């Protein structure tokens, strides 16, 4: 009787599930056909009668001044140089600026000039990917938000080739299966990583793992299950990409373990404007009354500017016991929104609390020439992000001739601040004490010893040049153009 009852319930349920699956497939196929029809209506032939190949980059914050944006603009410039019948499109949420202002900003900040115009598709729903909208389940919220933002982008412009250049992997299936596009991505940082899973598993308190979770075994287990579920979904959507480019060995290892798409995954080091910084004359330091320590990174929580300020305060405290020259810390970075500006205000308050305000300068959204000048004057280049995916700022500091002190993890540890031809190129540290101690050590070296390290570092950074990026990028995206 129980078996008959089970069968009488199970068979209709299976039948209903089958019908729903068929309906879903038909619906999705219908949407795809409708989008293809829309594509024909929205695109027109060029001057030669041929329809240009549309290559779209999904970069909602293209007017920000970070390393990710430099990759975007170099990618576009590279494609424009190589392919004649290509129109580059940028999906952006920067509605507070015109297309001309954005392109001008790219030239001002990165010294990148495009050979042809770019088409901008301005998106209205960028707020859906703002972290502030999701105080809890932020990763899931932002990822689902990116799907809705991607849908808006797809409806406004249907490209032939779609490249996610900002880490919104959940948009990839949307453009591939509904948009009928060939899809690629450039991964700066995995949305979730095995390191993040270990932070939760070990109940470590970090900026993305609150104390109330680490203090509760139940909350920690729940968050771990949530992370594993998200990692599974992330692997699923990422693996549908036709071409996967990653920016470092560190990112490569994480993406290979999560996406399992080794055949189409390769390392493409981000383009650093090495030559421009190499133009700064490298001379032995003359005796100086002031040493400058410079940090170059966007004002985001993961960059850990408070660590820089605390380590600098510790260094100052120890230096006061010894002899001068005086020291100054210059924090250079981009502010994307009000949250970033509030973060800068909090950092200024921290400087007041530690009594170092007179020795710390904040330089926000500065022009490229001013950045270059600060780096030319600096003795030490400072970087403190844990598990930085790559570290363009680290390369720039090395090319400019500063002695780099970076975090002993991620890209700086595995790809950048490594011996070159058996010689030291810089230093690594993990915590406040080690940073203060290493800065003091660098400053205690003779000008000749520092010059040797600076020269080694400069020789090592040629592998991160624009030219090297162009070659590896074109090689990687070639399958998308076949």
């Amino acid at each position: 009787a129980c078996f008959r009852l089970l069968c009488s319930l199970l068979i209709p349920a299976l039948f209903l599930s089958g019908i729903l699956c068929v309906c879903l497939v038909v619906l999705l196929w219908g949407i795809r056909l409708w989008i293809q029809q829309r594509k024909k209506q929205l695109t027109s032939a060029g001057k030669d009668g041929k329809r240009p190949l549309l290559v779209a980059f999904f970069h909602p914050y293209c007017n920000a001044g970070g390393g990710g944006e430099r990759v975007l603009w170099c990618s576009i410039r590279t494609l424009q140089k190589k392919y004649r019948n290509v129109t580059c499109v940028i999906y952006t949420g920067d509605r507070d600026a015109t297309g001309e202002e954005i392109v001008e900003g790219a030239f001002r900040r990165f010294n990148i000039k495009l050979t042809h115009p770019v088409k901008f598709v301005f998106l209205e729903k960028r707020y859906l990917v703002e972290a502030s909208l999701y105080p809890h389940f932020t990763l899931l919220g932002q990822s689902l938000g990116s799907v809705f933002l991607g849908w808006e982008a797809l409806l406004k412009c249907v490209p032939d080739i779609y490249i996610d250049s900002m880490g919104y992997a959940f948009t990839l299936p949307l453009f591939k299966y509904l948009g009928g596009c060939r899809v690629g991505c450039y991964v700066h940082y995995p949305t979730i990583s095995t390191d993040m899973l270990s932070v939760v598993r070990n109940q470590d308190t970090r900026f993305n793992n609150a104390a109330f979770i680490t203090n509760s075994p139940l909350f920690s287990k729940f968050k771990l299950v949530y992370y594993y579920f998200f990692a599974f979904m992330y692997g699923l959507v990422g693996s549908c990409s036709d071409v996967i480019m990653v920016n470092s060995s560190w990112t490569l290892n994480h993406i290979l373990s999560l996406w399992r798409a080794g055949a189409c995954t390769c390392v493409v080091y981000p383009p650093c404007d090495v030559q421009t910084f190499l133009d700064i004359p490298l001379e032995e330091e003359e005796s100086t009354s002031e040493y400058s320590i410079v940090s170059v990174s966007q004002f985001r929580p993961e960059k850990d500017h408070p660590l820089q300020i605390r380590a600098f305060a510790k260094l100052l405290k120890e230096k006061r016991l010894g002899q001068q020259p005086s020291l100054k810390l210059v924090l250079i970075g981009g502010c994307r929104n009000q949250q970033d500006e509030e973060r800068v205000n909090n950092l200024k308050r921290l400087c007041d609390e530690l009594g170092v305000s007179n020795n710390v300068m904040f330089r926000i959204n500065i022009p490229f020439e001013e950045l270059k000048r600060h780096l030319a004057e600096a003795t030490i280049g400072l970087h403190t992000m844990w598990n930085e995916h790559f570290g363009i700022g680290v390369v720039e500091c090395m090319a400019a001739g500063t002695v780099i002190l970076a975090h002993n993890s991620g890209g700086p540890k595995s790809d950048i601040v490594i011996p070159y031809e058996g010689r030291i190129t810089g230093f690594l540290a993990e915590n406040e004490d080690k940073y203060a101690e290493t800065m003091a050590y660098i400053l205690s070296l003779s000008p000749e010893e520092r010059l040797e390290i600076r020269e080694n570092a400069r020789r090592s950074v040629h592998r991160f040049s624009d030219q090297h990026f162009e070659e590896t990028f074109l090689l990687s995206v070639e399958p998308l153009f076949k």
Side-chain angles (χ1 to χ4, degrees):
C2 285
F3 180 73
R4 277 201 303 273
L5 177 65
L6 198 64
C7 285
S8 65
L9 291 172
L10 194 62
I11 291 167
L14 288 171
F15 182 68
L16 187 63
S17 299
I19 289 173
L20 287 173
C21 284
V22 170
C23 288
L24 184 63
V25 169
V26 170
L27 177 67
L28 292 175
W29 188 252
I31 292 171
R32 182 180 166 121
L33 290 175
W34 174 67
I35 287 173
Q36 293 306 307
Q37 195 60 39
R38 190 177 174 83
K39 179 180 180 176
K40 287 174 188 170
Q41 292 167 358
L42 290 173
T43 54
S44 54
K47 291 174 186 174
D48 57 357
K50 291 181 182 175
R51 193 181 68 79
L53 194 70
L54 285 184
V55 181
F57 290 83
F58 191 76
H59 209 105
Y61 295 91
C62 76
N63 204 27
E69 287 67 59
R70 190 163 210 289
V71 170
L72 168 73
W73 297 110
C74 276
S75 302
I76 291 170
R77 182 178 65 184
T78 303
L79 291 179
Q80 287 183 345
K81 279 200 273 186
K82 167 79 174 177
Y83 298 101
R84 290 186 180 278
N85 193 38
V86 156
T87 297
C88 290
V89 177
I90 300 175
Y91 297 118
T92 179
D94 293 302
R95 294 186 299 141
D96 56 345
T98 64
E100 291 79 11
E101 286 169 343
I102 293 172
V103 171
E104 175 55 35
F107 176 66
R108 192 169 48 85
R109 286 184 187 126
F110 305 120
N111 205 26
I112 293 172
K113 199 160 186 67
L114 302 178
T115 51
H116 302 293
V118 173
K119 181 184 174 187
F120 289 91
V121 175
F122 291 95
L123 307 175
E124 293 168 27
K125 296 184 175 64
R126 189 177 71 179
Y127 64 88
L128 291 174
V129 296
E130 292 276 356
S132 56
L133 195 63
Y134 313 99
H136 306 292
F137 301 101
T138 312
L139 292 180
L140 191 60
Q142 285 183 292
S143 297
L144 292 174
S146 74
V147 175
F148 287 102
L149 189 63
W151 177 248
E152 182 194 344
L154 187 58
L155 289 185
K156 286 185 173 176
C157 175
V158 187
D160 299 292
I161 295 169
Y162 170 79
I163 298 173
D164 164 42
S165 52
M166 215 181 157
Y168 293 106
F170 282 73
T171 62
L172 294 167
L174 190 70
F175 279 82
K176 182 169 187 173
Y177 299 118
L178 293 185
C181 312
R182 281 157 279 171
V183 300
C185 59
Y186 188 96
V187 184
H188 298 275
Y189 198 80
T191 305
I192 191 165
S193 66
T194 48
D195 293 319
M196 288 167 71
L197 291 168
S198 68
V199 162
V200 179
R201 198 184 300 111
N202 301 333
Q203 293 180 250
D204 293 339
T205 302
R206 299 259 175 166
F207 76 90
N208 58 353
N209 197 37
F212 80 90
I213 290 173
T214 60
N215 295 334
S216 165
L218 181 67
F219 282 154
S220 288
K221 282 187 174 63
F222 179 76
K223 186 166 184 177
L224 198 58
V225 170
Y226 158 57
Y227 268 17
Y228 273 115
F229 166 74
F230 185 84
F232 171 74
M233 294 300 294
Y234 182 59
L236 216 58
V237 296
S239 62
C240 79
S241 190
D242 301 310
V243 164
I244 302 162
M245 294 168 279
V246 297
N247 65 346
S248 69
S249 312
W250 182 87
T251 309
L252 175 71
N253 293 333
H254 285 288
I255 289 299
L256 287 178
S257 69
L258 288 162
W259 291 11
R260 304 184 186 282
C264 57
T265 307
C266 57
V267 176
V268 177
Y269 286 130
C272 308
D273 195 4
V274 172
Q275 194 52 55
T276 303
F277 291 105
L278 289 174
D279 290 342
I280 297 169
L282 193 61
E283 295 161 354
E284 193 175 303
E285 304 159 38
E286 296 172 8
S287 58
T288 178
S289 60
E290 183 178 63
Y291 285 121
S292 168
I293 299 165
V294 169
S295 155
V296 183
S297 58
Q298 284 184 304
F299 289 101
R300 303 207 303 259
E302 64 270 24
K303 297 297 182 182
D304 205 354
H305 288 90
L307 173 56
Q308 297 181 2
I309 293 166
R310 287 196 302 269
F312 179 69
K314 199 174 187 71
L315 173 69
L316 270 187
K317 194 177 175 185
E318 287 164 6
K319 289 296 279 184
R320 282 191 192 119
L321 303 174
Q323 59 221 20
Q324 305 296 353
S326 65
L327 300 171
K328 70 173 176 182
L329 173 64
V330 185
L331 301 178
I332 301 171
C335 272
R336 302 163 299 173
N337 49 36
Q338 200 176 338
Q339 279 179 300
D340 288 355
E341 285 164 19
E342 183 54 40
R343 206 165 282 124
V344 170
N345 291 333
N346 289 336
L347 292 172
K348 287 177 178 174
R349 281 192 281 273
L350 178 62
C351 291
D352 287 336
E353 287 167 26
L354 296 172
V356 295
S357 293
N358 294 338
N359 299 79
V360 180
M361 283 172 61
F362 288 85
R363 307 298 298 134
I364 297 156
N365 297 334
I366 60 172
F368 184 76
E369 284 307 313
E370 191 180 338
L371 165 68
K372 201 171 158 182
R373 181 171 56 79
H374 280 295
L375 285 175
E377 293 168 358
T379 302
I380 297 174
L382 195 58
H383 161 277
T384 46
M385 179 176 166
W386 172 71
N387 270 342
E388 169 77 85
H389 34 97
F390 179 72
I392 287 181
V394 175
V395 174
E396 289 176 345
C397 286
M398 290 166 75
T402 70
V403 179
I404 191 68
L405 172 55
H407 200 282
N408 191 22
S409 63
K413 181 185 180 181
S414 60
D415 291 294
I416 306 171
V417 191
I418 56 176
Y420 181 72
E421 294 179 351
R423 292 180 179 148
I424 187 170
T425 57
F427 299 88
L428 299 166
E430 295 105 15
N431 54 44
E432 186 182 315
D433 289 341
K434 194 68 181 166
Y435 269 99
E437 184 188 312
T438 310
M439 282 191 280
Y441 172 72
I442 294 167
L443 294 171
S444 73
L445 293 172
S446 69
E448 295 82 21
E449 289 170 320
R450 278 199 294 268
L451 181 64
E452 190 182 334
I453 295 168
R454 292 157 69 205
E455 285 174 339
N456 295 340
R458 273 198 155 184
R459 280 194 290 269
S460 76
V461 297
H462 285 288
R463 63 213 157 101
F464 307 123
S465 65
D466 283 4
Q467 188 184 348
H468 190 262
F469 169 81
E470 287 180 8
E471 290 164 6
T472 51
F473 177 77
L474 285 173
L475 209 59
S476 303
V477 298
E478 202 176 335
L480 299 175
F481 290 84
K482 285 178 178 173

